[in-house]
Amino acid sequence: MTNEEITSSDGGGAAPTVEIDDMILVSVDDHVVEPPDMFDNHLPSKYKDLAPRVIRADDGSDVWFYEGQQLPNIGLNAVAGKPPEEYGIDPTTFAEMRNGCYDIDDRIADMNANGILGSMCFPSFPQFCGQLFSRTEDKTVALAMLQAYNDWHIDEWCGSYPGRFIPLALPAIWDPEAMAAEVHRVAAKGCRAVTFSENPEKLGWPSFHNEHWDPFWQAVSETGTVVCLHIGSSSELTITSIEAPINVMITLQPMNIVQAAADILWSRVLVDFPDVRFALSEGGIGWIPYFLERVDYVDEHHRAWTGQDLPDGMLPSDLFRERFITCFIDDAAGIKNRHDVGIDHMTWECDYPHSDSTWPESPERLSRSLGGVPAEEVHAITHRNAMRLFRYEPFSVIPEADCTVGALRAQAVDVDTVARPSGRTIERPDSPIRIIDLAERVAAKKD
Amino acid sequence: MTNEEITSSDGGGAAPTVEIDDMILVSVDDHVVEPPDMFDNHLPSKYKDLAPRVIRADDGSDVWFYEGQQLPNIGLNAVAGKPPEEYGIDPTTFAEMRNGCYDIDDRIADMNANGILGSMCFPSFPQFCGQLFSRTEDKTVALAMLQAYNDWHIDEWCGSYPGRFIPLALPAIWDPEAMAAEVHRVAAKGCRAVTFSENPEKLGWPSFHNEHWDPFWQAVSETGTVVCLHIGSSSELTITSIEAPINVMITLQPMNIVQAAADILWSRVLVDFPDVRFALSEGGIGWIPYFLERVDYVDEHHRAWTGQDLPDGMLPSDLFRERFITCFIDDAAGIKNRHDVGIDHMTWECDYPHSDSTWPESPERLSRSLGGVPAEEVHAITHRNAMRLFRYEPFSVIPEADCTVGALRAQAVDVDTVARPSGRTIERPDSPIRIIDLAERVAAKKD
């Protein structure tokens, strides 16, 4: 906790210092639902028959099919454009989804309609860390699939609209040497971000405290690649009880990122690899002042016996602010305390097309949260930090004046953003849906 | 997040609005290490031979012995008065501990030396929810032990110094009807607080979402008893990896209370029992503005499909502020954002004799955190809220002028608070102690 004066962002009262139309928005966390043809142009011909493909399942849903298995949930939580009554029901066909989930032209239209200049898109069906491919027994096949994925993502998805995306690679998580090589390979194509797990031990790999990952840390250090840890990327949900209402799980899901933050902050990775940077994707920011105060308290009270020293006598809070990139969707507490969070590493995200997204009213919501915040700080939070930290240079491709919310929305006047019900009959439950109810629903779908 | 202006507590710069000597401090979370003679006066004679007793173990340590078993760690983390180098080593004999841990006269002396008027003391050897007694097969014996514990605690420990303690009962957790009866029994003696688990399911009992506990909720409602949930009372540690440095666990331990807060906030308990109040003991407060914003966001975004409605159309944040009592040790982020936390339910704690305690400099640390906070708010946080919420009325016994830090410290000029090394040779480890190292140390002690 610093001693500086807080400038109140009053979260609803103070006038914006930057007009909505003049804001420039870069979202460092969105999601792509992969289109069925994604492997067509990116696999050596000998692997083409092995590639994941989309099939129509017996129940009429679209599913990815790979190595003899159907993968449910093509579009987990891909509910953009649905009314909130339907948020609990994942779309089961591409036709049920908003096109912008998987079609690059429609994605750009939806970004324009929301005034979003740049976007970083996390994967859907291969899971956050490409776990799907890690289960492939023949690792040459696994690597071919993973590289095809990364090439599609970088060259086709992001490449179709230069200046509009921050590419993000999947890691060859089963082999740190292969991970390192792939980091170098994609960096040469301009990709300087890679997804990883907030806790690899929970996925069955060694922890952050193990030297196992050193080739990977070395490669991201050498290439200036940011390691992005998305909430949920440990595949472990914090469940208080299966009898608990689903709201308990929804509430806690982003808050659990604090575990990864603590785990990494006290790990040897930050000490031994001073150039590694971690992004806490969808991690929120309002918890950070408390967290930083806590880690400094732990350092002060316990350093005499725990044997833990930080580099150059740094405080843990200093180390956090130097090596972590934070991000938020809509987080008034974090904005209000932005100088305690650390304003230089704060970025913003839209989370399209998931249910926590503010699409298509992100500029309005964000502007309200940023009321009273000085313009320079608004620009840092909305785009300049993301550009610097992820080496993203849109203005080299698109004139800055064409990158604003107003300019982008002017290109999207014909985009219909009104929520469209699916037509299914949805009855609101009489009592709160419980975690076990949702688990049973998923199990029933698999049968 | 409300729109009101924040008054900055600058955590180090602004002058105190209440002089240190004029503050009145009530700590709602301390710990008693039970003295060996605690059962002597409180058990019917037929049970006396069955009572837990302290014995000298083969390795020279003092241990409680009950039902044929030795219970290690008489004073887990009871390190008050030790230098920080020794925080990692639990005292193993009463002689190694500061007398104030277990001797009521010395406890009062230590409270006086720290300017503390009132204290609520959590149990040590029976565990936070009296789990020890729940394992006793003969439940009439279990209840006799538990009642003896409560009688010792209320009549002897707290009763020796009227006006100095907020009594806290153990629950007969194995039987909700017995719990209810005991809540009534101790309420008749003036005890209006009971410990419970932050997650009873993790202890093998039904969850907060189960009607199993209704007789207990009914009893605490009828008697105006506060249900105190201490961090760690689910007996479940959040472990990122056993390879992680111990600092990871120390950092996260208080932060996990957010799980209990979410679990209860969305549970039927608050809806069906509007008079139940929960205290989040050692839960900290800096996380609360973010948490309240998150639960309101979940309500807004997801209420259309989750079927979850709150009473009278309340916001989740309103419900939290109405039914939860929060507390902190030293928490600048929480103080700074106190109006977003909710100032009416904010209380303070000392955590004597544990390693996170600010004893014997609590008034100095707290005064620094409260710099710039208006005097009325200081008084609410330091003692008035605790007095109101726990029905604690010290001024009916001790004149208010004698309750201040200055007045109490004047009674303790002869108390030696200088840290005393045990004389054991302690070498600071070369590399950070890991969770597994500590686990192995505990296991070795059991052998």
Side-chain angles (χ1 to χ4, degrees):
Chain A
M1 185 65 41
T2 65
N3 287 344
E4 68 210 47
E5 191 71 20
I6 326 180
T7 306
S8 170
S9 127
D10 72 359
T17 58
V18 180
E19 291 301 316
I20 288 179
D21 277 351
D22 296 335
M23 290 167 71
I24 295 178
L25 300 182
V26 176
S27 164
V28 298
D29 174 27
D30 296 302
H31 301 267
V32 56
V33 176
E34 296 82 3
D37 64 357
M38 67 159 287
F39 288 96
D40 289 2
N41 302 320
H42 305 285
L43 267 178
S45 55
K46 63 178 171 176
Y47 295 126
K48 278 208 191 302
D49 291 346
L50 300 175
R53 64 182 195 274
V54 172
I55 61 170
R56 178 63 49 102
D58 293 340
D59 66 354
S61 63
D62 292 335
V63 292
W64 281 95
F65 184 82
Y66 181 54
E67 298 196 310
Q69 296 218 304
Q70 290 187 17
L71 312 169
N73 291 109
I74 46 165
L76 188 73
N77 198 17
V79 298
K82 303 271 177 225
E85 290 73 20
E86 300 192 16
Y87 281 5
I89 300 164
D90 293 316
T92 59
T93 64
F94 283 93
E96 278 186 315
M97 255 178 265
R98 193 169 169 88
N99 292 358
C101 295
Y102 56 86
D103 181 285
I104 184 63
D105 301 320
D106 288 312
R107 171 62 66 103
I108 288 289
D110 281 354
M111 286 166 62
N112 289 345
N114 198 26
I116 308 288
L117 168 65
S119 166
M120 184 156 76
C121 297
F122 282 80
S124 293
F125 87 91
Q127 299 180 265
F128 283 126
C129 312
Q131 291 102 300
L132 176 66
F133 303 126
S134 77
R135 290 189 286 268
T136 296
E137 201 161 330
D138 182 336
K139 294 304 182 207
T140 59
V141 174
L143 189 63
M145 296 302 160
L146 181 109
Q147 292 187 330
Y149 188 101
N150 285 340
D151 288 344
W152 164 78
H153 176 88
I154 297 164
D155 301 334
E156 193 168 326
W157 180 259
C158 301
S160 298
Y161 286 85
R164 299 302 296 271
F165 292 96
I166 302 172
L168 173 70
L170 287 179
I173 196 166
W174 57 88
D175 176 356
E177 294 291 348
M179 289 173 88
E182 184 66 3
V183 164
H184 279 286
R185 191 184 76 86
V186 300
K189 308 209 287 178
C191 176
R192 298 295 175 73
V194 60
T195 66
F196 192 60
S197 173
E198 57 186 342
N199 192 336
E201 188 173 287
K202 305 286 183 192
L203 300 180
W205 310 103
S207 77
F208 280 111
H209 311 285
N210 196 293
E211 295 176 10
H212 175 83
W213 304 106
D214 284 3
F216 178 53
W217 307 133
Q218 188 65 37
V220 300
S221 300
E222 287 164 1
T223 54
T225 298
V226 175
V227 181
C228 298
L229 311 175
H230 196 284
I231 60 165
S233 57
S234 65
S235 292
E236 193 181 66
L237 289 172
T238 299
I239 304 285
T240 55
S241 164
I242 56 168
E243 295 179 313
I246 193 75
N247 276 8
V248 177
M249 202 178 76
I250 300 173
T251 299
L252 292 174
Q253 215 186 345
M255 304 191 79
N256 292 329
I257 196 77
V258 65
Q259 293 170 24
D263 201 33
I264 295 168
L265 186 60
W266 296 115
S267 79
R268 58 177 279 280
V269 181
L270 301 191
V271 179
D272 292 351
F273 297 92
D275 296 322
V276 175
R277 296 284 180 284
F278 290 95
L280 302 177
S281 309
E282 206 171 335
I285 54 173
W287 55 276
I288 293 175
Y290 177 67
F291 173 76
L292 295 183
E293 200 181 328
R294 176 73 192 152
V295 289
D296 286 350
Y297 197 81
V298 170
D299 186 55
E300 180 197 341
H301 274 238
H302 298 280
R303 67 176 303 139
W305 70 274
T306 61
Q308 181 118 32
D309 293 307
L310 294 180
D312 308 321
M314 287 174 97
L315 284 176
S317 56
D318 293 335
L319 188 63
F320 180 89
R321 290 199 190 93
E322 186 180 286
R323 310 282 178 85
F324 283 82
I325 298 167
T326 60
C327 92
F328 69 97
I329 299 174
D330 191 13
D331 195 327
I335 299 291
K336 198 171 187 174
N337 295 282
R338 61 196 175 277
H339 295 289
D340 291 325
V341 174
I343 203 161
D344 294 335
H345 58 73
M346 198 184 283
T347 63
W348 176 80
E349 65 161 286
C350 178
D351 200 29
Y352 178 97
H354 285 182
S355 58
D356 268 349
S357 180
T358 51
W359 186 90
E361 294 170 344
S362 302
E364 287 72 21
R365 297 225 31 164
L366 186 56
S367 173
R368 202 168 48 187
S369 286
L370 292 172
V373 175
E376 283 306 300
E377 296 182 4
V378 170
H379 294 313
I381 293 168
T382 54
H383 64 288
R384 285 183 192 154
N385 287 343
M387 288 168 53
R388 184 184 78 254
L389 295 163
F390 290 97
R391 304 188 181 198
Y392 166 56
E393 296 172 352
F395 306 150
S396 67
V397 184
I398 309 166
E400 186 168 345
D402 296 345
C403 294
T404 63
V405 169
L408 293 167
R409 279 183 163 169
Q411 298 177 37
V413 285
D414 58 336
V415 177
D416 182 359
T417 60
V418 176
R420 294 270 175 256
S422 64
R424 297 193 213 178
T425 306
I426 313 276
E427 296 211 5
R428 186 161 190 269
D430 292 335
S431 59
I433 298 180
R434 299 169 304 164
I435 290 170
I436 190 170
D437 300 329
L438 216 66
E440 283 168 359
R441 196 191 283 178
V442 171
K445 227 164 111 180
K446 275 192 185 153
D447 289 342
Chain B
M1 186 62 44
T2 65
N3 288 344
E4 68 211 48
E5 191 72 20
I6 326 180
T7 306
S8 169
S9 126
D10 72 359
T17 57
V18 180
E19 291 301 318
I20 289 179
D21 276 351
D22 296 334
M23 291 167 72
I24 295 178
L25 301 182
V26 175
S27 165
V28 298
D29 173 27
D30 296 302
H31 301 268
V32 57
V33 175
E34 296 82 3
D37 64 356
M38 67 159 289
F39 288 97
D40 289 1
N41 302 321
H42 306 285
L43 267 178
S45 56
K46 62 178 169 175
Y47 295 126
K48 278 207 192 300
D49 290 345
L50 299 175
R53 64 183 194 274
V54 173
I55 62 169
R56 178 63 50 102
D58 294 341
D59 67 354
S61 64
D62 291 336
V63 292
W64 282 95
F65 185 83
Y66 180 54
E67 296 195 310
Q69 296 219 303
Q70 291 187 18
L71 312 169
N73 291 108
I74 46 166
L76 188 71
N77 198 16
V79 297
K82 302 273 178 223
E85 290 73 21
E86 300 192 15
Y87 280 6
I89 300 164
D90 293 317
T92 59
T93 63
F94 283 92
E96 278 186 315
M97 257 178 264
R98 197 172 165 85
N99 292 358
C101 295
Y102 56 86
D103 181 284
I104 184 63
D105 301 319
D106 288 312
R107 171 62 65 104
I108 289 290
D110 281 353
M111 287 166 61
N112 289 346
N114 197 26
I116 309 287
L117 167 66
S119 166
M120 184 155 78
C121 298
F122 282 80
S124 294
F125 87 92
Q127 300 179 266
F128 283 127
C129 312
Q131 292 102 300
L132 175 67
F133 303 126
S134 77
R135 290 190 285 269
T136 297
E137 202 162 331
D138 182 337
K139 294 306 182 206
T140 58
V141 175
L143 188 62
M145 296 301 160
L146 182 110
Q147 291 186 330
Y149 188 101
N150 285 340
D151 289 343
W152 164 78
H153 176 87
I154 298 164
D155 301 332
E156 193 168 326
W157 181 259
C158 301
S160 297
Y161 287 85
R164 299 302 295 272
F165 292 96
I166 302 172
L168 172 70
L170 286 179
I173 196 167
W174 58 86
D175 176 356
E177 295 291 350
M179 288 172 89
E182 183 66 2
V183 164
H184 279 286
R185 190 184 76 87
V186 299
K189 306 210 287 179
C191 176
R192 299 294 176 73
V194 60
T195 67
F196 192 59
S197 173
E198 56 186 343
N199 191 335
E201 189 173 286
K202 306 286 184 193
L203 301 180
W205 310 104
S207 77
F208 280 113
H209 311 285
N210 196 292
E211 296 176 9
H212 175 85
W213 304 107
D214 284 3
F216 177 54
W217 306 134
Q218 188 65 39
V220 299
S221 300
E222 287 164 1
T223 54
T225 297
V226 175
V227 181
C228 298
L229 311 176
H230 196 284
I231 61 164
S233 58
S234 64
S235 292
E236 193 181 64
L237 289 172
T238 298
I239 304 284
T240 55
S241 164
I242 55 167
E243 294 179 314
I246 193 76
N247 277 8
V248 177
M249 202 179 77
I250 300 173
T251 299
L252 292 174
Q253 215 187 344
M255 304 191 80
N256 292 329
I257 195 78
V258 66
Q259 293 171 25
D263 201 34
I264 295 169
L265 185 61
W266 296 115
S267 78
R268 57 179 280 282
V269 180
L270 300 191
V271 180
D272 292 352
F273 297 92
D275 295 322
V276 176
R277 296 286 180 284
F278 290 96
L280 301 177
S281 309
E282 207 171 334
I285 55 173
W287 55 277
I288 292 175
Y290 177 67
F291 173 76
L292 296 182
E293 201 181 328
R294 176 73 193 152
V295 290
D296 286 351
Y297 197 82
V298 170
D299 186 55
E300 180 196 341
H301 274 238
H302 298 281
R303 66 177 301 138
W305 70 274
T306 60
Q308 181 116 31
D309 293 307
L310 294 181
D312 308 321
M314 286 174 98
L315 284 176
S317 57
D318 293 335
L319 188 63
F320 180 89
R321 291 201 190 89
E322 186 179 286
R323 309 284 177 84
F324 283 82
I325 298 167
T326 60
C327 90
F328 69 98
I329 299 175
D330 191 13
D331 195 327
I335 299 292
K336 197 170 187 175
N337 295 282
R338 61 197 176 277
H339 295 288
D340 291 325
V341 173
I343 203 161
D344 294 336
H345 57 73
M346 198 183 283
T347 63
W348 175 81
E349 64 161 286
C350 177
D351 201 28
Y352 179 99
H354 285 183
S355 57
D356 268 350
S357 179
T358 52
W359 185 90
E361 294 170 346
S362 302
E364 286 71 22
R365 298 226 30 165
L366 186 57
S367 174
R368 203 167 49 188
S369 288
L370 292 172
V373 175
E376 283 306 299
E377 296 181 3
V378 170
H379 293 314
I381 293 168
T382 54
H383 64 288
R384 285 184 192 153
N385 287 344
M387 288 168 54
R388 183 184 78 254
L389 294 162
F390 290 96
R391 305 188 181 197
Y392 166 56
E393 297 172 351
F395 306 149
S396 67
V397 184
I398 308 167
E400 186 168 346
D402 297 345
C403 294
T404 63
V405 169
L408 293 168
R409 279 183 163 171
Q411 297 178 38
V413 285
D414 57 336
V415 177
D416 182 0
T417 61
V418 176
R420 293 271 174 254
S422 64
R424 296 195 215 176
T425 307
I426 313 276
E427 296 210 4
R428 187 163 189 265
D430 293 333
S431 59
I433 298 180
R434 299 168 305 163
I435 291 169
I436 189 170
D437 301 328
L438 216 66
E440 283 169 358
R441 195 191 285 177
V442 172
K445 225 162 114 180
K446 275 191 186 156
D447 289 343

